[in-house]
Amino acid sequence: MADRVFTVLDLIDLDLKEHNSLNLRCIGGRRGLGRPIDIPDLNRPMGAIMGFFEDFAYQRIQLFGRGEASYLRRLENDGNIDSIKEMFSYPMPCCIFTHNYTPHKDFFDIAENAQCPILQTDLGSADFSSRIMRILSRIFSPRQVVHGVLVEVYGLGILIQGESGVGKSETALELIHHGHRLVADDVVEINCINGNTLMGAGANKIIGHHMEIRGPGIINITHLFGVGAIRDRKEIQLVVELEEWDSQKNYDRLGAEDHTVELLGVNIPKLTIPVKPGRNIPIIIETAAMNERLKFMGYHSSKEFNKNILKWIESDATRSVFFGHDDVI
């Protein structure tokens, strides 16, 4: 996963809002809150509490829904808690009870002796499962930190990269003036979700929506342009590389070839834009964003242009012009 251990306490302390909130609270086994969570998956331990421990996935978070809670209640009424004791002999990360269910005192005592955290949520099992799996997949996803500016232009996430001083932040500032949104400046943290989607965000939430502009210095985009000018996260769908204009270099003028760059094993469309005085880079990026959206919709401007040129060359009118002249000997 990431470059540090993710613990049960980290799971409880996650700053999650609205449809992402897990509503977790610790109701027992607090001494075990430092236990690491190593696998981003859940296990429903019905087999374990029934005394069947073959292939028991104890390394995962143990989720107790209504079915497991009902069977626990039956065991507690019968005074048969041997399977519960055996279950806690395994180093489970934690046990989570949905529907605000509170287990019996014997369950708490065994958990306390094993120093295994017992958590509780008011969410239903299905809702909680989908939320925590979505969150864990993001936390445990491959990640990379890159230098650049991430902006949203016409709904497209664009990562602007280039050498220091080439004008990345100034270009992003002009785009924000045009009504587009800033995601992160200078340092962008990229997460690969589901193996094919790259999500970018600021590496530091405190300074994520600030920009360093040579001259004015550090500016707060939220205070200057309002909350509508920022986003916390955005999928990266295009990489724009700004480079100083090189008169000896042949730049692509037709755009017939699609170029890509690999980030965390995912190929992302890439556009190289040479920078020199007089070129309006923000306008070019806006145009590139619209053109990329057309490609997503199945229309490739350069390829369509080449196709039309070939049709014109092969047309009857062209052949008549070519063959209509008398050869001069």
Side-chain angles (χ1 to χ4, degrees), residues 285-328:
I285 291 179
E286 286 182 326
T287 305
M290 291 187 286
N291 192 48
E292 199 65 30
R293 291 186 66 182
L294 281 176
K295 290 181 183 179
F296 291 156
M297 298 167 64
Y299 182 85
H300 198 299
S301 302
S302 299
K303 292 180 181 179
E304 193 69 23
F305 176 79
N306 286 342
K307 201 181 299 181
N308 290 335
I309 290 294
L310 290 174
K311 286 182 180 179
W312 179 78
I313 291 174
E314 296 170 356
S315 66
D316 291 339
T318 306
R319 287 200 299 270
S320 64
V321 171
F322 181 81
F323 294 112
H325 295 287
D326 294 332
D327 292 335
V328 178

Side-chain angles (χ1 to χ4, degrees), residues 92-134:
M92 303 175 292
C94 64
C95 298
I96 300 178
F97 287 87
T98 60
H99 300 93
N100 268 339
Y101 178 79
T102 302
H104 190 267
K105 181 180 179 299
D106 291 338
F107 191 96
F108 279 115
D109 291 340
I110 298 171
E112 287 288 349
N113 290 332
Q115 297 185 19
C116 180
I118 306 300
L119 311 182
Q120 185 185 67
T121 178
D122 60 351
L123 298 173
S125 300
D127 191 12
F128 178 82
S129 298
S130 62
R131 294 189 188 196
I132 194 171
M133 290 304 298
R134 184 170 63 244

Side-chain angles (χ1 to χ4, degrees), residues 16 62 139:
L16 304 171
Q62 305 300 310
I139 292 172

Side-chain angles (χ1 to χ4, degrees), residues 144 146 159 161 190 192 198 236 239 261-268:
Q144 178 181 353
V146 299
L159 176 64
Q161 295 189 291
I190 304 173
C192 181
L198 298 181
I236 299 175
V239 175
V261 60
E262 183 179 309
L263 294 171
L264 295 173
V266 180
N267 289 322
I268 301 295

Side-chain angles (χ1 to χ4, degrees), residues 201-216:
N204 188 316
K205 289 186 177 181
I206 298 176
I207 63 174
H209 294 133
H210 291 70
M211 295 185 72
E212 179 186 352
I213 305 296
R214 288 171 174 81

